[in-house]
Structures are given as C-alpha cells and as structure tokens.
Amino acid sequence: MNKNYAGIPDTYAKLETAKIVVIPVPYDGTSTWQKGADKGPEAFLNASENMELYDIETDTEVYKNGVFLADAVTENTSPEAMVDAVHQATKKYINKNKFVTIFGGEHSVSIGTIRAFNECFDNLTVLHIDAHADLRKSYEGTTCNHACAVYEASQTTNLVQVGIRSMDVTEKTVMNTEKTFFAHDMATNDYWMDDVIDQLTSNVFITFDLDAFDPSILPSTGTPEPGGLFWYETLEFLKKVFEAKNVVGFDIVELCPNSLEKSSDFLAAKLYYKMLSYKFMSNDDAYDTEEITEETPFSKLSKLKKEAEDF
C-alpha cells in the first residue's frame, strides 16, 4: 500500500494532527460474479496520487485538514473475522475523534463499519447508495456476505436506500419501501433529493457502492447494472446531504479495477475527495483534533456526540 494518501506531504499525513483517517480494506471473499474488489483500495490510492488536490467547486484543498492512511485491514480467514476486524479498526479511529472513512473491498466490509458508527453515534441514519438492495439476512451460509451488507443496518439504524434497481423478491419482506428510492422512480421525480433528505436523521453515515453509478461512467465494478446515477446529479445530491446533515463518516466499496480501463479508478478517487471537500468546506465542520483514549471519561464522549448532533 502507498505511504501517504494521494502523495500528500508528511506534514498533513500524521495521525496525531490529521482530522481524517482512511482505512483500506482489500477484501473480496464473498462476491458472486466478477472478482477483483480486493484490488480496489490499491487502485483507488494509485489514482489519488495522480489527482489535482485543489477542488474548484468548493475552492478548497481539503487534504490540508490532514489525511492519515491507516494500515489496511487484511483479515480474510472468514467473512465474520473480517467484519469483526473492520469493526474494531473503525471504532478505534472514531474514538480518537477522527473523521473516519473506509475504502473497500466488497460491500460486506460495511457491516463492520456501520456497526462501529452505530455504537458511537446516536440516532444514526445509514444512507445506502447502491444498485442492489443487499438486504438478505444470510447468503451462502453467512450473515457477512456482500448480499447482506445492510441487513443489520435495517434492524438497528434508520436505513435509507437510494438508487436501487436490482433485488431478490425475498428482500421485500425486510425493505421499508417508504425509505427506499428506486432508480426507475428517481428518473421521473424532480424532487427525489429533497425527499431523501426528509427521511434522514441528524447523524448520517454514507455507504456508497460504486455500482450505484451507471456503468457507462463506471464500468469497473463487480456487478454493473444499467440505469444508474451520473456524475453531476450524484455530486449535487451528496452536497445537499453534507450541507443539511452531520455526516459522521462514509465508506466506498466495490471498485473492481480493470487493467485496460482506468477511468473508473479515477472516478472513485475523485468521488472520495469530493465527499471530503463537502464535509470540510466550512470551518464549522472542522473536528477538534484532541485525541480520545480508552481512559477518556464517558461524559466527554457524550459531549462530543452532542456537539456532532448539533452541527
């Protein structure tokens, strides 16, 4: 793995002072069609090194808030062990008062990330942007399959799903259709972005499966589906979410790099940087970089949660 995210100077890459942490999770243990998502984090990081770090839209250089590239989570002895390792790594950095982001890997890694954020933030919405519902309770003998990525979130958080256009009929028994925005409906609803935001609580974690995009702009994913999102409508939506709510973290998953097609890698890199830029475009969103330790009093943790909810 790369030494620093996006090749940024060491000054901005130190854990002690960085406001942002990115955790790579090169895992592809349960995917059922095209393999290669385990190569996604490396492709994302390589593309990031070739990206301009000034964002024109927000007039910012978000990397100057500090971005620490954590050690990759490489546990792969079983899907359950991987989810537990991701959960522990994610929670460790949340408890250091960092804005924690994760880049997978297949979507099963999000079971661990969501579990960690749900334990650390009250009244959490999981905003699930994806082509697939991922609501199976169990699949191929495990509850930690990529097809089960947000089942636990549907039971423990306020799950809002956007861009869905592929699912199994059995998932209808779990799905909350009032909080599910199907791609075919979004195509004819000029107000779908506002309708989604109306369903979100104050604290939001975003899990973004790259197959949410139309394969004409991002073909390098494990299970591409026609009829997906395009670049500028996605950015408009994400910017609205970041402005309206306290986004407490996010993950991006399911980049399946192709040696003959590098534009998908670069899109993923730009998407990640855009999401950071929207989070930190206002100084009001800057996190206190004081480190939390295991000995931090619970009252301090509660205060930090309350401050996050008040953003």
Side-chain angles (χ1 to χ4, degrees):
M1 285 290 178
N2 306 47
K3 181 183 177 184
N4 290 347
Y5 163 75
I8 62 176
D10 290 345
T11 304
Y12 300 110
K14 297 176 181 177
L15 176 60
E16 295 77 15
T17 54
K19 295 176 182 175
I20 301 154
V21 170
V22 55
I23 307 171
V25 187
Y27 179 79
D28 190 20
T30 74
S31 59
T32 48
W33 192 31
Q34 297 184 91
K35 292 287 187 179
D38 56 324
K39 305 296 191 300
E42 183 177 7
F44 153 74
L45 290 168
N46 287 340
S48 298
E49 287 193 359
N50 294 284
M51 178 182 64
E52 298 287 3
L53 296 177
Y54 169 67
D55 182 68
I56 299 170
E57 180 189 6
T58 59
D59 189 27
T60 61
E61 294 178 291
V62 69
Y63 77 91
K64 290 184 177 178
N65 285 277
V67 184
F68 175 72
L69 176 58
D71 290 338
V73 176
T74 57
E75 173 61 61
N76 63 3
T77 56
S78 71
E80 292 78 11
M82 178 277 297
V83 165
D84 182 62
V86 171
H87 168 242
Q88 295 300 327
T90 303
K91 194 168 183 179
K92 177 179 77 172
Y93 289 111
I94 295 173
N95 285 339
K96 292 181 181 291
N97 201 24
K98 306 299 183 181
F99 183 78
V100 182
T101 63
I102 300 89
F103 199 98
E106 64 168 63
H107 210 164
S108 58
V109 308
S110 299
I111 300 171
T113 65
I114 292 168
R115 190 177 296 170
F117 278 93
N118 194 36
E119 290 172 356
C120 294
F121 292 92
D122 295 329
N123 197 24
L124 185 70
T125 289
V126 171
L127 175 56
H128 172 220
I129 305 172
D130 199 333
H132 306 92
D134 289 348
L135 284 171
R136 287 176 168 91
K137 184 175 182 179
S138 178
Y139 192 67
E140 295 189 339
T142 178
T143 60
C144 295
N145 189 282
H146 74 105
C148 313
V150 294
Y151 173 80
E152 183 177 310
S154 75
Q155 305 300 299
T156 61
T157 74
N158 177 50
L159 177 67
V160 179
Q161 302 186 276
V162 172
I164 307 302
R165 54 195 190 276
S166 179
M167 61 183 288
D168 186 76
V169 67
T170 60
E171 294 174 280
K172 291 174 64 177
T173 62
V174 178
M175 177 176 281
N176 183 340
T177 55
E178 292 184 2
K179 296 182 179 182
T180 303
F181 294 81
F182 293 104
H184 68 276
D185 291 328
M186 291 162 56
T188 59
N189 178 4
D190 291 338
Y191 304 101
W192 70 264
M193 298 182 192
D194 294 330
D195 292 342
V196 172
I197 289 171
D198 286 344
Q199 297 289 343
L200 308 179
T201 55
S202 56
N203 289 331
V204 176
F205 175 81
I206 301 173
T207 180
F208 199 117
D209 187 323
L210 290 167
D211 65 30
F213 284 113
D214 192 84
S216 64
I217 67 167
L218 196 144
S220 296
T221 188
T223 314
E225 291 280 350
L229 293 165
F230 292 96
W231 180 245
Y232 283 109
E233 67 176 329
T234 302
L235 294 188
E236 180 185 357
F237 172 57
L238 289 171
K239 189 175 183 182
K240 285 176 178 283
V241 172
F242 276 93
E243 288 177 338
K245 302 296 178 179
N246 176 38
V247 177
V248 297
F250 62 83
D251 66 30
I252 298 175
V253 298
E254 297 284 355
L255 176 63
C256 187
N258 179 335
S259 61
L260 301 178
E261 194 281 303
K262 295 296 186 182
S263 64
S264 295
D265 305 354
F266 203 79
L267 188 153
K270 290 285 285 188
L271 176 69
Y272 176 84
Y273 202 69
K274 273 289 189 183
M275 291 173 75
L276 290 186
S277 298
Y278 292 151
K279 174 62 185 178
F280 290 92
M281 63 185 174
S282 167
N283 289 334
D284 292 339
D285 285 339
Y287 270 36
D288 179 0
T289 56
E290 179 184 351
E291 187 168 306
I292 299 175
T293 68
E294 292 182 359
E295 289 75 32
T296 301
F298 181 76
S299 59
K300 176 66 179 294
L301 294 173
S302 299
K303 180 175 181 290
L304 288 167
K305 285 185 183 180
K306 180 63 167 58
E307 289 172 349
E309 291 167 4
D310 289 341
F311 275 168

